[in-house]
Amino acid sequence: MTAKEVLKIAKENKARMVDMKFLDFIGIWQHFSIPINQLKEDVFEEGLGFDGSSIRGWQPIHASDMLVVPDPETAVMDPFTETPTLSLICNIVDPITRESYSRDPRTIAQKAEAYLKSTGIGDVAYFGPEPEFFILDDVRYSQGSDHGFYFIDSVEGTWNTGKDEAPNLGYKPRHKEGYFPVPPTDSQEDIRTEMCLVMEQVGIEIERQHHEVATAGQAEIDMKFDSLVRMGDKLMWFKYIVKNVAKRWRKTATFMPKPIFGDNGSGMHTHQSIWKGGKPLFAGSLYGGMSELAMYYIGGILKHARALNAFCNPGTNSYRRLVPGFEAPINLAYSSRNRSASIRIPMYSPSPKAKRIEVRFPDPSCNGYLAFAAMLMAGLDGVKNKIDPGEPLDKDIYGLSPEELSKVPSAAGSLEEALDALTCDHEFLLKGDVFTQDVIDTWIEYKKDKEADPVRLRPVPYEFTLYFDC
């Protein structure tokens, strides 16, 4: 799509404003808006200025000037604004060098795609994430030197079976029994459907939606796979739409991996494959119908999994989900059909085009551009270095004896462990200048200083239950 075509779309839709969206380093959309008469063709080349020092993890104040350069391919009408508004996703550019900004997550994803092509291994990497989330009715939290608490609630919460709701109609999914019940137990069919329809308005093809395993409104909506950068864009639209449709219904939605104790957390199983010249490269005659290239790709993911956790499971709360005893995998193994393995080979279809792997440890709190790029780089490292993934594990991992389990490596058990792993294992990310050393160092520093240490230093409510009378 050209700049002229974008202006034509704006005119046809009677747009009066233009919204410039871009992602901060951590993974939250930022934006500012301009009147439609300020959108000229040269904006798509010259960009618009903003203060980069006010964005998390970006520029120091003495070098704060940055440019947003809108990508014309991303033009759609924003489905939530009262005034007709054209939306554009932007890349970040240095105003002096005119080079892409190395800490811009979308730039990193674009460089990962370019690196794939430069290797000659393939020309497109497809990603199909399955983000899970909770739709809640109330959330309150506060933290101070003298207190700390959170409170969440859902009309679906199994803890509300005894609540006087004038009247209480029951039909609340029990813990771990929220997968696929029909209404009235599933009370959120209509809200999820509205989310799907709005997603289709912005060009996201939806494959299915359903209630997920946990009580209290856990949901999943599945998008059709797409190339890395496009799927990064779609994941941002996905989160934006889920949150804003929930707000329309006077509800709130969260992609926090583990907001509820004692029930399943929210993961983001991520399907991926590599193609070349329009042909799938993961189909073959080896285990699970996979090719040798696919097995090496699996080997790369497994080898670098603990470093990948730093991007795919980027918060302290991520590791409340990655614990033994739940469906979320902590053991680094691969299998066909076995959902307790961290990498699964889906067996739904014999078609070569359907051959892919499903990496099961990521969660939806991640920055999609960075997580997808990191997984691709790990997989490509496996292909280039012919990393053997070992034997498949077709048993129930959680049913293994301690002796058998000791032979299966584990994912990181905390954000600190993941960041330490990334410190020691990131050379594969630097290939092709996809991730720079500055990006790695800044990510580790930010996550330690702003997230891991503050959580580590604060008492949590349950500690009063354990220790107040000591």
Side-chain angles (χ1 to χ4, degrees), residues 298-319:
I298 291 172
I301 295 286
L302 292 176
K303 177 181 178 180
H304 300 297
R306 289 173 66 87
L308 291 176
N309 287 145
F311 290 110
C312 297
N313 311 95
T316 59
N317 186 254
S318 297
Y319 301 89

Side-chain angles (χ1 to χ4, degrees), residues 377-396:
M377 296 300 289
L380 292 178
D381 186 63
V383 174
K384 294 186 73 175
N385 292 292
K386 297 184 178 180
I387 298 174
D388 185 351
E391 294 298 314
L393 189 56
D394 289 330
K395 300 177 182 178
D396 180 358

